[in-house]
Amino acid sequence: MKILADYHTHTIYSCGNNENRRHAKGTIEENVLAAIDKGLEVIGISEHGFDHNFYGLSRKNAKKEREEIDRLNKKYPQIKVLMGMECNILDDTGRIDMPDDMVHYFDYILAGYHYGSRPTSLRSILHHIDNFLFSGRLFSKKYNTRALIKAMERYDLKYITHPGDKGQVDIVEVAQAAVRTNTGLEINGHHNRLSPEMIRAISHMDLKFYIGSDAHKPENIANFERAYEIVEESGLDPARIVNLVKD
Ligand SMILES: [Zn+2]
Ligand SMILES: [Zn+2]
């Protein structure tokens, strides 16, 4: 299979204001060059969302990132560079951290659940704790499932990143909502989600599967090795993955 696009990559802009390179290592241009090197047609930059306690794009940097991406599209016409965002799914109302006044900067939106996103209520703190300590096994599976479904219903999301990672979900219910809302689900080798078992449980549905590298350094752009193993183990026909084409 040939890789057309990698929509899930991070740069130093995911490190917040200080650009300390602790969370992600490469610049946007370094990601673009790595993507050109790997023969991609499209590279998506998808920093973490605004409402995370420890990392994520700052509002100030959103404008800078847009300008930088526009500049790189002129400099490297052989590849299309898109500005995405990996928003945090904040609670079971489906709220994500994409303010109305910022959305115009972005070409597409991904969303996923992460520990450490800013709590929206005491209840959301309790679920963060259950997810952090027990992967949501105690009392959060329904809450997590609802959070993903409502996010897909409320926003136009390209796909959900690493569904069911960091907090259990009912993957069949999530997948049904994904079909209904025309949202993709990601196979993310970095987080082992979707897992082979999850894919087997939902592959009969008319779903859009994506593979994302979740690269936090340029050399991992389009590194789908582990994701390919998951696909093989699951028995999913790779031709069903939206961002791959047959050679
Ligand atoms: Zn993530
Ligand atoms: Zn990510």
Side-chain angles (χ1 to χ4, degrees):
M1 300 296 291
K2 179 179 160 25
I3 304 166
L4 287 179
D6 187 354
Y7 294 104
H8 189 169
T9 76
H10 298 273
T11 79
I12 52 171
Y13 281 100
S14 272
C15 304
N17 278 325
N18 47 8
E19 297 183 14
N20 54 21
R21 301 194 181 214
R22 246 181 247 135
H23 188 79
K25 309 290 176 209
T27 63
I28 302 173
E29 187 155 9
E30 284 166 349
N31 276 21
V32 171
L33 288 170
I36 291 171
D37 204 40
K38 300 216 170 160
L40 270 60
E41 292 176 16
V42 177
I43 176 73
I45 308 295
S46 58
E47 312 298 3
H48 289 290
F50 300 110
D51 286 352
H52 197 281
N53 287 318
F54 311 112
Y55 50 75
L57 186 67
S58 66
R59 281 170 160 259
K60 192 183 84 205
N61 281 346
K63 185 167 183 283
K64 272 169 72 182
E65 180 153 296
R66 179 75 260 175
E67 287 164 3
E68 170 81 351
I69 286 174
D70 291 344
R71 183 182 75 80
L72 293 171
N73 271 309
K74 291 196 190 94
K75 187 169 173 188
Y76 302 106
Q78 64 271 52
I79 193 164
K80 188 157 186 52
V81 188
L82 296 178
M83 177 161 164
M85 168 76 103
E86 186 189 11
C87 289
N88 295 293
I89 298 176
L90 296 173
D91 59 34
D92 70 339
T93 68
R95 217 170 99 195
I96 65 170
D97 48 0
M98 177 55 78
D100 289 345
D101 63 332
M102 300 302 276
V103 70
H104 66 278
Y105 286 120
F106 297 90
D107 297 312
Y108 65 92
I109 302 172
L110 313 176
Y113 172 72
H114 301 93
Y115 307 136
S117 62
R118 268 180 216 132
T120 56
S121 65
L122 179 62
R123 211 170 127 253
S124 78
I125 296 176
L126 295 175
H127 287 290
H128 270 316
I129 293 170
D130 181 29
N131 284 331
F132 184 69
L133 295 177
F134 306 105
S135 274
R137 276 190 298 276
L138 294 189
F139 52 84
S140 299
K141 188 170 174 177
K142 282 196 171 135
Y143 174 95
N144 294 337
T145 303
R146 210 159 45 232
L148 265 55
I149 292 173
K150 294 275 185 192
M152 289 188 271
E153 289 172 354
R154 275 180 75 164
Y155 301 93
D156 183 15
L157 305 177
K158 188 176 195 67
Y159 67 69
I160 297 284
T161 60
H162 43 73
D165 184 42
K166 304 174 195 293
Q168 289 190 343
V169 296
D170 182 322
I171 196 61
V172 172
E173 283 183 32
V174 169
Q176 285 165 343
V179 172
R180 205 169 60 236
T181 57
N182 197 27
T183 311
L185 297 181
E186 182 191 52
I187 300 162
N188 181 317
H190 192 63
H191 291 283
N192 288 317
R193 295 287 187 285
L194 300 164
S195 66
E197 300 72 40
M198 291 164 119
I199 295 171
R200 274 197 291 271
I202 59 177
S203 60
H204 62 283
M205 297 182 204
D206 187 21
L207 265 169
K208 287 200 225 164
F209 291 98
Y210 285 85
I211 284 189
S213 71
D214 208 352
H216 284 68
K217 37 186 157 173
E219 57 264 41
N220 284 338
I221 301 282
N223 179 355
F224 294 162
E225 265 174 54
R226 174 63 196 135
Y228 285 151
E229 285 172 15
I230 292 173
V231 171
E232 209 180 324
E233 223 181 303
S234 73
L236 183 75
D237 177 1
R240 289 191 56 194
I241 296 166
V242 177
N243 54 325
L244 303 181
V245 280
K246 284 225 165 77
D247 260 332

